[in-house]
């Protein structure tokens, strides 16, 4: 853990720091401290790897560490944090949605309006990976339709726009 922590902290190459952080996630709760230190890395790809590694290392401890990302402007790490929180805090059928899940979904919905097409796309993919929710689904469809308008930037067009067609063909006996 110590050698990986050192690499994650001081290596000048972002891809090395990203790999070190990702590897730290495999050490479980013992890696939470060194991972937490890297939440402020200058490179977005490293911060995203930190969020994923924290969740992998110790999901329960990670949630309070990644939740503050939802107070910042949309980022790759924030979108991943929101997706993780929304997936982790699911309500029982018929029960009200927990506040942290509502906040995470609102963050993702807000990111759909970001000027960066890659963030909009990541947010759309994150939203469709969550359990179905009528309000979120309507907002996603509205954003997709607004991007389809002439002159609109094509950020969300890669996101699914409904159920995928059935591409499975039954085998016919020969």
């Amino acid at each position: 853990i110590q050698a990986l922590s050192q690499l994650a902290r001081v290596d000048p190459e972002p891809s090395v720091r990203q790999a070190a952080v990702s590897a730290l996630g495999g050490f479980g709760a013992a890696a939470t401290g060194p991972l937490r230190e890297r939440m402020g890395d200058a490179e977005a790809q490293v911060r995203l790897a930190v969020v994923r590694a924290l969740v992998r290392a110790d999901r329960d401890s990670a949630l309070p560490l990644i939740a503050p990302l939802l107070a910042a402007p949309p980022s790759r790490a924030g979108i991943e944090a929101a997706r993780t929180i929304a997936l982790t805090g699911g309500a029982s059928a018929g029960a009200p949605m927990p506040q942290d899940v509502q906040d995470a979904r609102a963050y993702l919905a807000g990111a759909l309006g970001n000027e960066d097409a890659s963030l909009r796309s990541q947010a759309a993919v994150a939203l469709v990976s969550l359990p179905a929710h009528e309000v979120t689904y309507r907002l996603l469809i509205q954003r997709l339709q607004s991007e389809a308008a002439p002159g609109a930037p094509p950020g969300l067009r890669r996101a699914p726009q409904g159920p995928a067609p059935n591409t499975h063909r039954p085998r016919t006996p020969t």
Side-chain angles (χ1 to χ4, degrees), residues 131-149:
H133 186 262
E134 186 177 331
V135 173
T136 306
Y137 184 72
R138 270 190 269 142
L139 178 63
L140 182 58
I141 294 299
Q142 178 185 6
R143 292 289 186 174
L144 285 168
Q145 289 171 342
S146 70
E147 290 224 1

Side-chain angles (χ1 to χ4, degrees), residues 8-9 14 17 21 37-44 46-47 50:
R9 193 173 35 255
R17 294 195 312 273
V21 162
E37 291 174 8
R38 301 312 319 141
M39 294 271 304
D41 194 280
E43 295 294 326
V46 178
R47 292 190 304 271
V50 169

Side-chain angles (χ1 to χ4, degrees), residues 55 59 62-70 78-90 98-105 130:
V55 171
R59 184 179 214 92
L63 294 178
L65 296 174
I66 64 177
L69 291 171
L70 277 58
I79 291 169
E80 181 65 15
R83 186 189 69 79
T84 300
I85 292 167
L87 283 172
T88 302
Q99 187 61 49
D100 60 341
V101 174
Q102 291 179 39
D103 294 344
R105 283 179 178 264
L130 300 177

Side-chain angles (χ1 to χ4, degrees), residues 2 16 20 47 56 59 104 108 115 120 151:
Q2 189 173 5
V16 172
R47 292 190 304 271
R56 182 174 165 224
R59 184 179 214 92
L108 292 171
E115 63 185 34
R120 290 194 311 269

